Amino acid sequence: MRSRSLLSAVLLCFLTAGNCVEIPSDTPLPDSQVGTTDDRATLNQQFLEMFARAYYPGRSGQIMLVPERGNVLLEPDDPFYRFMHGSPWDYDVEVPLILHGQGYIRQGIFEDPVTHRDIAPTVASLLDVPTPATMSGTPLIASLTNATDQPRVVLVAVLDGARRDFFDQHIDDLPTLNRLRNEGAWYSEARIDYLPSLTSVGHASIATGAEPRVHGVVANTMFDLRFNQPSGPFPDLSPASLYALTIADLWNLDTQGSAVIIGQGTTARATIPMAGHGGCLVSAHSTIMAMFDGAIGGWVTNNDCYDLPSYVADDKAARVWESGESWLGHEIHDSSSLLRTGRFIAYQVDALVSMIEREQVGQDEIPDLILANFKTLDYIGHRWGPDSDELAEALRDFDRELGRVIEALESAAGDNGFVIIITSDHGTPGEPEEPDHARYYITDIIEAVHDRFDPTERRVVLFYGDPADNQFFVDRLRLENLGFDLDSVATYLEGLPYIFSAYTEDEVAAVSGH
C-alpha cells in the first residue's frame, strides 16, 4: 500500500488547483529531516522532497526508487561496479566540507546543516562578486573572516565518492587533510538534500549553487524521447544543458576573461560543471577545461567553449603504464586500470601543477579560480568498496598529491594568498550485510515490471540504465493502453522486499512545484 502521506500531498496539490507545497529553495532540510528517523512515513515524505529538488520535466524518469537501507542496486556482470551510491541513506549523502585559508577562513567546527549549493555563494563572497537569483544557496559567513582583500586563488576540490566518515576513519594517515581540517573550518553536518546522490547532479549543484530542478542536471543518464535513446547531460562535451550560471561563469564575466579559470576532472559529468560555460556563454571568454578521456588516454576539451594548453594535451597517460608501474599488486596496462589506482591521482596532479605554474596562477591582483574533480576514489569505491585496502591507499595517495598542489599554490600566491575548499559529490555504500541485505540488479526490476504489466511485448520500460540514477523511464501511453498507471507500478515495486519506496513522476512533480 502506498504511503498515505505521499498520496495526501499529491491530492492536496490537485484539489487546490496547483497550489502545491514547494520546498524552500534557500533553506536546507534540518538534520532531523534527512533520514535520521526510523519512521517510514516520515522518511517517505523526506525522500519524496529530495527527489522533488532534482525533478526536471522531460529529463527525469517516470518512476523513482529508494532501495532498502543496506541494499545495493547494480547492473549485472560488471566487475568494476560492485558498490553503487545514489540513495538517501547516510552513507551516500553525508559529505565532507573543509574550508581553509589563512586570513580568510575562521578555524573551528561548525555544526550548521549545509548543502552543496552553499559552496558557490561562499566562493562568490570570497571573490566579492554578486550572485544571480538561481544561486539559492547561502554563503557560509560564519566561517569567513572580515578580510578586506580577496585571496589570489580559490581552489575547489571535489573528492568524488568520498564519505564524510573517511575523514575520521583514516585521518591518522592523512596529514595534509588533517592539517587543513584542524586549521580551517570543518562543517560536520554537510549533506546532500536531493536525489539521486551522484556525480553529475553533485558537481552541477556545487558549481552553480542552485537546486537541480533549476540547473537542469538531474541524472547521469536520461532518455531522450526525440531520438528514443539514452543521453548523458553533456553530449559532445557541450555545457548547453546546464541551465544556470556557475561560479566560474560569474567570475569569467566579472573579470571580463582576465582571471585564470581552470576546470579539471574525469568524465564530462564531473568536469564541465567545474569549468562552466566558458566561451559558449554570451559576453564571456574561453576558460581552461581539461577532461581526462580514457579512450585516448589523455586530456581533451571542447574547443568551441574552452582552451586546453598544448603541454597538457601532449601529456599522455601511457607514460605511466609503459614504465611498468603497478599499484598494490594491480597491473596498470591501460586507462581503465590506471583510473582505478592512486597512480592516476599523481598523473592528474602533474597536469594541475603544470597549469598553476605555466598559466601564472596567483601572479597578479585579479584572483584566479580552480575547480577540480578527483575521480579515483569513486572508481575504487565502486570496485573494491569503502572498507578496502585500495580505498585507504588511494586516500593516502590523494593526501600526498594534495600537498603538491598546496606547495604550488604557496609558491604562486604566497602562504596566505589562497583558499582551499574540499568537499565530495556523494558517498558510497559498504558491503551488504547478509542475510538481510544483498546486491540486486536493475535488470531484475525491469523483468519484474514487464512480467506484471507488459508480459507479451515487454516494452513498457523504455530505459533503466545507470543504477545510481535510481529512476527509470516508462512509456506512459503504452502503460495506460494496457490498463495501468504509474501508481500501479510504484505500488507493485514497493512490494518488492529490497525496495524501500517508489515514487511516480506525478507525485514528485507536484511537490517540486512544476
Side-chain angles (χ1 to χ4, degrees), residues 112-153:
D112 307 312
V114 297
T115 71
H116 278 156
R117 64 181 178 276
D118 297 326
I119 294 173
T122 300
V123 176
S125 292
L126 288 165
L127 298 176
D128 194 24
V129 60
T131 58
T134 54
M135 194 173 283
S136 60
T138 302
L140 303 176
I141 298 298
S143 59
L144 303 185
T145 68
N146 296 319
T148 57
D149 61 334
Q150 300 164 312
R152 290 198 170 189
V153 186

Side-chain angles (χ1 to χ4, degrees), residues 231-240 268 272 289 291 301-306:
S231 172
F234 304 109
D236 301 320
L237 303 186
S238 169
I272 288 178
M289 192 275 276
M291 188 198 84
T301 198
N302 172 354
N303 292 314
D304 292 333
C305 306
Y306 313 105

Side-chain angles (χ1 to χ4, degrees), residues 246-286:
T246 70
I247 185 61
D249 295 331
L250 294 178
W251 197 232
N252 187 348
L253 292 168
D254 191 81
T255 63
Q256 299 182 51
S258 57
V260 178
I261 299 174
I262 299 171
Q264 185 202 35
T266 302
T267 73
R269 66 184 63 157
T271 312
I272 288 178
M274 299 285 93
H277 295 83
C280 288
L281 180 68
V282 174
S283 299
H285 296 73
S286 292

Side-chain angles (χ1 to χ4, degrees), residues 52-135:
R53 284 201 176 93
Y55 173 72
Y56 204 97
R59 296 186 173 193
S60 297
Q62 283 66 60
I63 296 290
M64 288 77 163
L65 298 174
V66 174
E68 286 281 0
R69 180 184 176 87
N71 290 328
V72 180
L73 300 181
L74 299 166
E75 290 185 85
D77 304 321
D78 190 341
F80 291 118
Y81 290 88
R82 299 183 61 252
F83 300 82
M84 186 60 68
H85 50 82
S87 82
W89 304 114
D90 53 0
Y91 46 74
D92 281 345
V93 301
E94 292 183 350
V95 295
L97 180 56
I98 297 173
L99 284 70
H100 182 278
Q102 296 183 41
Y104 300 99
I105 303 299
R106 301 182 191 277
Q107 186 275 337
I109 298 174
F110 297 83
E111 298 179 349
D112 307 312
V114 297
T115 71
H116 278 156
R117 64 181 178 276
D118 297 326
I119 294 173
T122 300
V123 176
S125 292
L126 288 165
L127 298 176
D128 194 24
V129 60
T131 58
T134 54
M135 194 173 283

